[in-house]
Amino acid sequence: MLLFSGCRRGRGRAGEPAYVSAPQAILRDRVAAVYNKTGSVKNGERVEILDRDRRFARVRTANKTEGWMEQRYLVTQQVYEEFQELAQQEQSAPVQALGITRNEINLHLQPGRDTDHLYQLDQGAKVSLLKRQSVEKSLPGVAARPAAGAKTGTPPAPAMEDWWLIRDAQGHAGWLLGRMMDVDVPIEVAQYAESQRIVATFVLNEVQDGDKKVAQYLMLASEPKDGLPFDFNQIRVFTWNVKRHRYETAYRERSLNGVLPVTVSQESFDKEGTLPVFVVRVKDDDGNTLERKYKLNTPMVRRVLAPGEAPPAGRRSSAKKRR
């Protein structure tokens, strides 16, 4: 009873609709150790609840097939509608990166292992990453233990884990556990990670090198651990040297309290012409989110100051320290 009170599974009255949260479930003709299979249902499929018996529910599918299935594989109409609302809300959210799932994984309504889930993604599924959030890690039935050597009465810092709001190929939106997914990074820049976690990459533009076009990239990175108070703290721009036929670091900036989303576009700059620009969002010491705009006039990257904005103090690493 405590388990079911924490999530909206197995609830509702007979005659109400429900949705299948398992990858696939068998329908049986009776609730017994020995039974006959009457059919099967798939993930996300809508069914009608006809009756209940402890752990099982008798359901009817859209094609009028009836049978008993475990209630823990069903979620309510309310959960389904909340997933629909989330997908509608995030349908225009800018994509920050592409990800690939490592295993079969549940799509949650909120970040957290104990939150409601409905859809399940296959191993190797490609998803669009939209937002990141860190939450306290919780494992069912595992109590938090004090850290070794911790002073009496001083609670240890909670273990944190990262979750990503994603959009899948079918248009579903939901939260995935970050460690169950890999960011799909172009091999051209993946080799320059330098033991940092690549959060996202963006194509700024392309340059012509002989008979081929080569992309130039913006990369966001951070330390390889969960629970950081920022989405990224490093930005790096890679440009292509057409004479030496290799990538070089045109710009690098560290120690940022960067927050997503980052946007990339094109903008006209008089004599310089139309150039790629990118806008990053950072938090100041007071927690205010500020925007910083940069332009790329290959191979130089420069801040674009807003009207009345003072030039940044100090100098950032630039093309003089290209790699």
Side-chain angles (χ1 to χ4, degrees):
M1 292 176 64
L2 289 175
L3 176 62
F4 287 133
S5 67
C7 61
R8 291 163 287 183
R9 296 182 178 277
R11 294 184 179 184
R13 299 183 299 273
E16 291 185 349
Y19 295 82
V20 180
S21 64
Q24 189 172 22
I26 293 175
L27 300 181
R28 53 181 75 184
D29 63 345
R30 63 177 69 90
V31 180
V34 179
Y35 60 87
N36 295 316
K37 177 181 176 182
T38 63
S40 63
V41 287
K42 298 180 180 179
N43 182 239
E45 186 173 345
R46 185 183 187 276
V47 297
E48 179 186 359
I49 297 177
L50 304 177
D51 195 5
R52 295 182 183 274
D53 180 18
R54 295 183 181 179
R55 293 172 36 237
F56 290 85
R58 183 174 179 82
V59 302
R60 178 188 294 133
T61 67
N63 60 8
K64 306 304 180 182
T65 302
E66 296 184 8
W68 292 90
M69 63 176 291
E70 292 191 62
Q71 294 192 58
R72 64 191 178 110
Y73 295 144
L74 294 172
V75 300
T76 63
Q77 177 73 23
Q78 182 181 350
V79 172
Y80 173 80
E81 291 176 354
E82 289 178 357
F83 268 103
Q84 297 298 104
E85 292 174 3
L86 181 61
Q88 180 70 21
Q89 176 183 329
E90 302 295 339
Q91 65 177 349
S92 301
V95 176
Q96 300 301 287
L98 299 179
I100 302 176
T101 57
R102 296 182 179 179
N103 303 97
E104 290 184 349
I105 185 172
N106 292 322
L107 196 58
H108 288 250
L109 192 57
Q110 298 288 341
R113 301 182 183 222
D114 298 330
T115 60
D116 291 305
H117 62 86
L118 170 55
Y119 303 109
Q120 187 172 77
L121 303 182
D122 295 330
Q123 179 182 3
K126 295 184 178 182
V127 297
S128 298
L129 309 187
L130 309 177
K131 300 175 184 177
R132 165 196 165 272
Q133 186 173 333
S134 293
V135 299
E136 185 175 344
K137 182 178 181 180
S138 62
L139 294 175
V142 178
R145 297 182 179 180
K151 295 181 180 179
T152 304
T154 303
M160 305 294 288
E161 58 187 8
D162 288 352
W163 288 72
W164 278 92
L165 178 62
I166 67 94
R167 188 168 55 233
D168 68 4
Q170 288 71 43
H172 302 138
W175 292 86
L176 293 184
L177 181 59
R179 67 185 58 185
M180 299 299 291
M181 172 188 62
D182 294 311
V183 177
D184 189 9
V185 181
I187 189 63
E188 297 91 342
V189 296
Q191 58 185 320
Y192 302 116
E194 298 178 357
S195 300
Q196 299 298 291
R197 174 183 291 175
I198 298 178
V199 176
T201 58
F202 302 85
V203 175
L204 295 175
N205 64 353
E206 294 181 328
V207 295
Q208 193 74 37
D209 186 356
D211 59 352
K212 65 178 181 179
K213 287 187 176 182
V214 184
Q216 302 192 121
Y217 294 96
L218 165 67
M219 183 173 77
L220 312 179
S222 68
E223 288 81 5
K225 59 182 179 181
D226 288 4
L228 295 173
F230 43 76
D231 293 329
F232 61 93
N233 65 348
Q234 306 165 43
I235 60 175
R236 195 169 173 181
V237 175
F238 296 97
T239 55
W240 182 256
N241 189 317
V242 295
K243 294 182 178 179
R244 298 183 178 182
H245 310 291
R246 70 182 188 187
Y247 279 104
E248 296 177 343
T249 299
Y251 185 82
R252 186 176 222 168
E253 190 170 350
R254 300 182 178 91
S255 302
L256 300 171
N257 288 320
V259 294
L260 298 174
V262 168
T263 55
V264 175
S265 61
Q266 301 279 326
E267 193 171 321
S268 178
F269 292 93
D270 298 329
K271 295 181 180 180
E272 293 179 281
T274 300
L275 302 177
V277 298
F278 58 94
V279 177
V280 300
R281 292 163 176 83
V282 298
K283 288 187 177 181
D284 61 16
D285 295 337
D286 297 325
N288 302 313
T289 301
L290 309 175
E291 290 189 349
R292 294 183 182 177
K293 182 187 290 188
Y294 301 77
K295 63 181 178 181
L296 169 63
N297 192 348
T298 305
M300 306 301 293
V301 177
R302 292 286 183 266
R303 279 281 302 275
V304 180
L305 301 179
E309 183 180 3
R315 298 180 62 184
R316 306 293 183 183
S317 56
S318 62
K320 292 183 179 180
K321 294 183 179 180
R322 288 184 228 147
R323 295 189 181 181

